[in-house]
Amino acid sequence: MLSWSTILAAGLAVTGAQGSPVELVERAPPILYLAGDSTMARGSGAYTGWGDYIAKYVTIPVVNKAIGGRSARSYTNEGRFAEIARLVKRDDIVVIEFGHNDGGSPNGANDNGRSDCPGTGNEVCRSGKTGEIGARVIISSQTPNNLYEGGSWLTGVPRFVGYAALAARNVGNGATFVDHFRAVANMFLRLRSSGTNALFPVDHTHTNARGADLVAQAFAQAINRNLNGTTPLRPYLKNPVPNVF
Ligand SMILES: *[C@@H]1O[C@H](CO)[C@@H](O)[C@H](O)[C@H]1NC(C)=O
């Protein structure tokens, strides 16, 4: 049995050259922070986002910082990325998922304060700041709208899906990408028209609670399947990993 003096001696022995104490306790698990819009945020009433549901499928604590109505640009300008950058500790994981409110053009007189610059502009690059201070960034493509709206399958992928993949490469700091759009689209194909339409009670963007849970499951499965690339969240998935697409 280890005595206190043995532990103390061991502690002193591993004290660094500058006399800084070395942690003898296990490090707290990383925290998973989520930055996004209403499709990720906790909703009220008829619809809700997937962010709260992902906690069912990972082994680490989740802090859902998603806010309805935000784009990557307005989230940045409101200081919300800066807030996350202040909160994260080394090895925490930040998922950034935008696109639903990012369309339009910022150049015109009727700029709505949300439209992003075309391509992977400053807003997305800025989010990589969280990476600089030691958190691990996962850029996630936006969720699809109801791809069976009107009954038949809608093809076409929003430009923000490609931007998200590109941003992950450009941000540096080892940012990774997950194609949440593709995962959910493939799940909708499996659910077919009636199954998919049943998840969208109010409009073609926001799902009910069952839809939010399924969109979270598709996220967990995409992380497990490395769609598209290995992310730092994979070791923290709960088993069994969902299989929805
Ligand atoms: C991710 O991989 C899937 C499967 O190979 C592919 O269909 C999809 O287009 C890829 N996503 C991006 C954004 O490249």
Side-chain angles (χ1 to χ4, degrees):
M1 199 183 96
L2 287 177
S3 69
W4 270 110
S5 57
T6 316
I7 292 168
L8 191 62
L12 292 172
V14 294
T15 296
Q18 301 88 3
S20 54
V22 172
E23 282 177 79
L24 288 178
V25 287
E26 216 179 293
R27 213 193 155 273
I31 293 174
L32 177 62
Y33 287 92
L34 304 178
D37 56 35
S38 60
T39 63
M40 190 192 248
R42 180 180 309 171
S44 55
Y47 69 82
T48 188
W50 65 273
D52 284 13
Y53 289 87
I54 196 65
K56 289 166 67 177
Y57 307 107
V58 296
T59 57
I60 54 177
V62 178
V63 177
N64 188 359
K65 290 282 187 186
I67 307 272
R70 301 311 190 276
S71 68
R73 177 179 166 203
S74 60
Y75 200 89
T76 304
N77 289 343
E78 291 171 8
R80 297 182 190 277
F81 278 127
E83 186 202 339
I84 293 175
R86 278 193 300 274
L87 291 173
V88 290
K89 298 201 174 60
R90 212 184 130 202
D91 291 338
D92 284 345
I93 300 172
V94 185
V95 174
I96 300 171
E97 182 182 290
F98 286 95
H100 286 284
N101 303 311
D102 300 55
S105 166
N107 300 319
N110 52 2
D111 174 30
N112 63 5
R114 306 198 301 190
S115 304
D116 294 342
C117 297
T120 56
N122 286 336
E123 286 76 20
V124 179
C125 295
R126 181 95 162 262
S127 65
K129 248 189 165 173
T130 51
E132 282 161 26
I133 64 165
R136 296 172 287 176
V137 174
I138 302 172
I139 298 188
S140 175
S141 55
Q142 66 168 86
T143 58
N145 284 337
N146 178 357
L147 294 175
Y148 278 112
E149 189 181 22
S152 49
W153 181 251
L154 302 168
T155 53
V157 177
R159 62 190 164 105
F160 296 102
V161 172
Y163 290 166
L166 195 59
R169 289 198 290 273
N170 290 348
V171 156
N173 291 314
T176 52
F177 171 67
V178 58
D179 198 346
H180 198 191
F181 180 97
R182 181 52 47 205
V184 176
N186 288 351
M187 178 181 78
F188 288 168
L189 277 171
R190 228 170 101 169
L191 291 169
R192 297 167 183 272
S193 177
S194 60
T196 302
N197 276 292
L199 306 177
F200 289 90
V202 282
D203 57 28
H204 66 196
T205 302
H206 302 97
T207 70
N208 55 19
R210 184 175 135 69
D213 194 339
L214 286 170
V215 169
Q217 291 185 48
F219 184 86
Q221 190 180 349
I223 294 289
N224 190 48
R225 288 217 190 150
N226 295 330
L227 188 81
N228 300 6
T230 307
T231 70
L233 187 57
R234 196 163 184 271
Y236 303 107
L237 293 175
K238 267 185 202 161
N239 276 310
V241 177
N243 181 10
V244 290
F245 65 85

